[in-house]
Amino acid sequence: MDFKYDVIVVGAGHAGCEAATAAANMGSKTLLITMDMNKIGQMSCNPAVGGIAKGQIVREIDALGGQMGIITDRSAIQFRMLNRSKGPAMWSPRSQSDRHKFIQEWIKTVSNTKNLFIWQDTVTELVIENGIVTGLKSALGVHFKSKTVVLTTGTFMGGLLHIGKKQQIGGRISEPASYGITEQLKSLGIRADRMKTGTPCRIDGRSIDFSKMTEQEGETDFHKFSFLEESKRELKQMSCWITNTNEKTHDEIRKGLEYSPLFNGQIQSIGPRYCPSIETKIVTFADKLSHQLFLEPEGVDSQEYYVNGFSSSLPLQVQIDAIQTIQGLENAQLFRPGYAIEYDFFDPTQLKHTLETKEIKNLFFAGQINGTTGYEEAGGQGLMAGINAHINCHGGKEFTLGRNEAYIGVLIDDLVTKGVDEPYRMFTSRAEYRLLLRQDDADVRLSTKGFELGLATQNRMDQLKSKQEIQEKLTDFIKKQPIKPADINSFLSTKNSAELKHGCKLSDLVLRPQLGILDLAEAVPALQEEIDSIKSRTEEIVEATEVLLKYEGYIIREQIIADKLQRLEHINITGRIDYESIKSLSTEARQKLTKIAPETIGQASRIPGISPSDVNILLVLLGR
């Protein structure tokens, strides 16, 4: 067996799988090391992919040529487009997955990816020579040599589980933790800290009374995650169920607070503000009488249900007593309790935008090791780390994405510029150009970049080209098609839309909030004929066209703003300024600029505590 590789990826979670398949598909000889080959792509927490802003990241991964979108479609048991009542910048796809099918699809993918090899083992030490990583050593005593290493260790480094006073070492329940790497990297000057996350109990569906709950069905329209036409949702579609906690539930939880690791000092690390445990909700929102819960199915052939909204590290009996006060769960039988987990992470301001560490060349971090939470954030980082690891091996320009190009760009820039003081979760509000970063146009934004990298396939580009040509033809038709008042006014009145006094172009009617392209096709036969001429992906193309027409002015304005600010991203300051010597900068600015060492003026301007006057001082210095 040859123990020499271009890229070694440590950890086969969502970041690791994307990193490994990306590097291998680009041509690097790649090794994926995992503790358990049966848990590749494991959904450690909820059995779902996507959500607010997270769904946009998955579509971006897919557009670049990554795998998460395809695998999610293949394993989907419910799909919904969130935020449809808001503008298209906020629309976010989300899919429940069959947990076991999701793993099986990832195993199938990594096992059949050319250039990708798998090794089951635990990594105990990195081999670093003269500040450059050259390989690693495993618990089985194997020394692997590599040009680059990508660490995607999730919650496994120093993992410690909490269920009440009960503590158990592990990266996930019933799975061992990993030791050695944190200690080694800290000895080399890399800053590490601890974070905390958690998960709810899992309930046996046979013990749930669904008649007391509200059914939440999925959507059955054309939406999915992958832009590839051949990617389909084929599994049986299932419902989620809604119920609520009540005052009795809260009383039971309050009784157990003294035994809660979150409140008795047992857990000291940083927890997620945006996905709090049920005990944190009860304390923080003491005046709230109930909290909504979603029971999510784990799979088509499984009786396991995930209780979304009830993460907890309370003692087992407290969890049972509280759960059984909830409507529909009076006789609930648990498969396993919820628990909290503490784990090691590294300050992400120690990374470049490529996710390579500044201190150790050719060493990359991706996923929860960087202080993020969520499969989607991990997958996006893994893809970018895998791409840049390949580039480091074979040459070429480093690959990064700007804040105006992708949510993945926003995510990574936030991490390396601002750092984290809690587990980082993506929201649409974090993106200043979210109208440019819609879920419907990720392929237009990114697939050409993926193709130039050698990651997106020719098939993907052919489909994109065809879609754009059809969309341009439809847009041109709508902008040029004349409409007479006599032909449309009776229809407009049925839609509570003002009647025309003069003729106009069809595009003027599309701009009205009450009207859509498909609505107008009912009254404009020529438009219906144009739509009927689209032989595939009709609904997707019509929806994307309508978004561009309705929001064209806003999109153009936002693009102009983005282009202006983008100029600062091209003013490189790496190694050009001794910040400590510039007394005209504030003390806070000198300290933060020295610590983070921004690569550009644009990045410097986004560091918390850096004022516009500080930025102007830097620009003046560079002018000199």
Side-chain angles (χ1 to χ4, degrees):
M1 182 175 173
D2 186 359
F3 296 119
K4 295 181 181 178
Y5 298 89
D6 294 322
V7 179
I8 295 180
V9 178
V10 181
H14 305 274
C17 288
E18 291 291 353
T21 51
N25 282 325
M26 291 173 72
S28 282
K29 183 182 178 185
T30 305
L31 180 67
L32 178 61
I33 300 180
T34 176
M35 290 183 180
D36 189 344
M37 288 176 60
N38 296 312
K39 298 285 180 62
I40 289 174
Q42 167 74 295
M43 303 178 100
S44 304
C45 198
N46 65 316
V49 170
I52 306 301
K54 293 166 173 280
Q56 283 88 328
I57 291 176
V58 179
R59 298 216 90 188
E60 291 173 353
I61 291 170
D62 180 75
L64 284 165
Q67 305 300 316
M68 184 178 280
I70 296 169
I71 286 170
T72 301
D73 287 340
R74 290 176 182 167
S75 60
I77 55 176
Q78 189 196 89
F79 185 94
R80 298 180 69 227
M81 184 67 74
L82 307 183
N83 276 346
R84 287 304 297 264
S85 62
K86 301 179 181 179
M90 309 291 282
W91 296 354
S92 301
R94 184 182 190 270
S95 180
Q96 293 291 136
S97 281
D98 183 307
R99 184 188 299 274
H100 301 295
K101 181 70 171 174
F102 192 89
I103 292 172
Q104 289 167 8
E105 289 296 333
W106 259 122
I107 291 173
K108 187 189 302 183
T109 297
V110 299
S111 299
N112 292 285
T113 297
K114 186 180 178 182
N115 302 317
L116 179 53
F117 304 87
I118 306 170
W119 180 257
Q120 183 168 298
D121 202 346
T122 301
V123 175
T124 56
E125 181 184 352
L126 300 173
V127 179
I128 300 168
E129 301 173 2
N130 301 316
I132 304 172
V133 69
T134 60
L136 49 81
K137 295 179 181 178
S138 78
L140 293 177
V142 184
H143 179 188
F144 294 97
K145 293 184 178 180
S146 179
K147 296 176 183 176
T148 60
V149 172
V150 183
L151 291 183
T152 66
T153 50
T155 59
F156 280 78
M157 290 198 303
L160 179 64
L161 280 60
H162 299 264
I163 305 172
K165 292 182 178 180
K166 175 71 175 176
Q167 293 179 303
Q168 181 178 325
I169 292 171
R172 279 190 295 253
I173 198 163
S174 302
E175 296 183 52
S178 172
Y179 295 94
I181 295 177
T182 300
E183 294 74 19
Q184 179 188 12
L185 291 177
K186 286 172 69 174
S187 72
L188 295 171
I190 293 182
R191 299 184 298 277
D193 207 336
R194 300 277 282 175
M195 273 192 177
K196 169 262 171 189
T197 189
T199 192
C201 62
R202 307 304 199 272
I203 295 179
D204 188 335
R206 295 169 297 182
S207 65
I208 300 172
D209 187 350
F210 294 109
S211 68
K212 296 181 178 180
M213 300 181 180
T214 302
E215 185 173 9
Q216 184 186 57
E217 296 181 305
E219 299 171 1
T220 56
D221 63 10
F222 67 94
H223 288 107
K224 56 190 179 71
F225 270 105
S226 179
F227 288 97
L228 291 176
E229 190 175 352
E230 57 269 28
S231 182
K232 309 284 187 184
R233 287 190 279 141
E234 297 176 342
L235 294 184
K236 173 187 173 184
Q237 299 299 287
M238 301 182 69
S239 294
C240 293
W241 301 85
I242 301 173
T243 187
N244 294 274
T245 63
N246 53 61
E247 292 185 70
K248 289 183 179 179
T249 314
H250 301 180
D251 288 341
E252 292 296 335
I253 291 169
R254 290 188 189 99
K255 290 178 188 176
L257 284 179
E258 64 181 294
Y259 307 108
S260 169
L262 294 175
F263 295 101
N264 63 14
Q266 188 172 309
I267 292 177
Q268 298 289 332
S269 50
I270 311 163
R273 187 190 341 170
Y274 298 109
C275 188
S277 66
I278 189 65
E279 50 265 42
T280 301
K281 290 179 189 178
I282 301 308
V283 172
T284 305
F285 307 105
D287 58 336
K288 195 164 184 181
L289 301 180
S290 69
H291 294 277
Q292 193 171 60
L293 305 176
F294 293 85
L295 271 73
E296 301 175 344
E298 299 263 352
V300 172
D301 298 317
S302 173
Q303 289 291 346
E304 194 170 347
Y305 276 79
Y306 175 95
V307 191
N308 195 332
F310 205 91
S311 291
S312 179
S313 58
L314 289 164
L316 172 59
Q317 192 58 52
V318 176
Q319 291 188 42
I320 293 172
D321 292 343
I323 281 285
Q324 292 184 342
T325 64
I326 297 169
Q327 194 165 28
L329 299 178
E330 294 87 351
N331 299 305
Q333 293 291 313
L334 273 59
F335 282 123
R336 59 186 180 277
Y339 60 88
I341 180 169
E342 292 183 284
Y343 56 94
D344 299 334
F345 80 100
F346 296 103
D347 179 356
T349 62
Q350 300 168 106
L351 302 175
K352 302 176 183 178
H353 277 79
T354 59
L355 297 181
E356 181 183 14
T357 63
K358 295 174 181 177
E359 293 292 326
I360 301 170
K361 185 172 175 55
N362 293 334
L363 177 63
F364 294 79
F365 294 166
Q368 286 181 280
I369 192 174
N370 290 335
T372 62
T373 180
Y375 312 143
E376 305 81 7
E377 291 90 341
Q381 293 172 72
L383 183 71
M384 298 296 285
I387 289 169
N388 283 297
H390 167 84
I391 291 170
N392 275 24
C393 293
H394 302 283
K397 184 181 178 182
E398 65 183 29
F399 182 70
T400 59
L401 291 168
R403 298 180 70 90
N404 63 324
E405 293 179 302
Y407 272 94
I408 294 173
V410 175
L411 163 67
I412 293 175
D413 185 63
D414 278 353
L415 292 175
V416 305
T417 301
K418 302 175 183 177
V420 292
D421 55 11
E422 61 184 336
Y424 180 99
R425 179 177 181 178
M426 179 54 73
F427 294 102
T428 51
S429 58
R430 295 191 189 273
E432 55 269 53
Y433 308 118
R434 53 185 174 270
L435 195 51
L436 302 180
L437 307 182
R438 307 180 312 277
Q439 58 83 32
D440 65 273
D441 74 340
D443 55 342
V444 176
R445 290 185 277 121
L446 299 174
S447 286
T448 299
K449 294 178 184 289
F451 183 70
E452 290 169 351
L453 287 167
L455 190 56
T457 63
Q458 184 63 55
N459 173 44
R460 184 180 289 274
M461 292 307 296
D462 290 343
Q463 291 189 33
L464 174 59
K465 182 181 178 182
S466 174
K467 171 185 170 182
Q468 288 181 299
E469 288 175 349
I470 296 169
Q471 193 169 319
E472 287 170 10
K473 182 173 177 285
L474 179 59
T475 301
D476 188 59
F477 172 86
I478 292 171
K479 285 186 172 183
K480 292 179 178 178
Q481 179 67 22
I483 298 294
K484 297 178 181 178
D487 296 333
I488 199 74
N489 278 343
S490 60
F491 170 79
L492 293 177
S493 64
T494 66
K495 297 291 183 179
N496 296 319
S497 188
E499 294 184 357
L500 294 179
K501 294 182 180 179
H502 307 285
C504 67
K505 299 300 183 187
L506 182 57
S507 55
D508 295 324
L509 295 177
V510 173
L511 294 178
R512 296 187 177 189
Q514 310 95 330
L515 303 175
I517 291 176
L518 293 178
D519 295 322
L520 289 164
E522 298 174 19
V524 183
L527 175 58
Q528 187 63 59
E529 288 178 20
E530 192 70 23
I531 292 171
D532 290 341
S533 71
I534 303 173
K535 299 304 181 185
S536 63
R537 305 171 73 173
T538 306
E539 293 171 295
E540 177 188 343
I541 290 170
V542 168
E543 181 180 81
T545 302
E546 185 173 309
V547 167
L548 288 175
L549 286 169
K550 282 183 179 292
Y551 295 88
E552 183 177 28
Y554 299 103
I555 292 170
I556 291 172
R557 186 171 65 185
E558 194 162 281
Q559 187 64 63
I560 291 171
I561 295 170
D563 291 343
K564 285 181 179 179
L565 293 176
Q566 192 65 17
R567 295 169 193 166
L568 295 177
E569 305 300 330
H570 298 295
I571 305 176
N572 190 286
I573 55 174
T574 305
R576 295 176 65 184
I577 301 174
D578 177 9
Y579 301 110
E580 291 294 347
S581 67
I582 305 172
K583 301 308 177 186
S584 53
L585 289 172
S586 67
T587 301
E588 182 181 10
R590 292 199 301 271
Q591 292 173 345
K592 289 190 172 180
L593 288 166
T594 300
K595 176 185 175 182
I596 294 173
E599 298 169 38
T600 67
I601 287 288
Q603 185 187 356
S605 71
R606 292 189 295 276
I607 297 173
I610 303 301
S611 69
S613 63
D614 294 324
V615 174
N616 286 333
I617 290 167
L618 296 179
L619 287 170
V620 169
L621 286 168
L622 290 169
R624 291 176 185 171

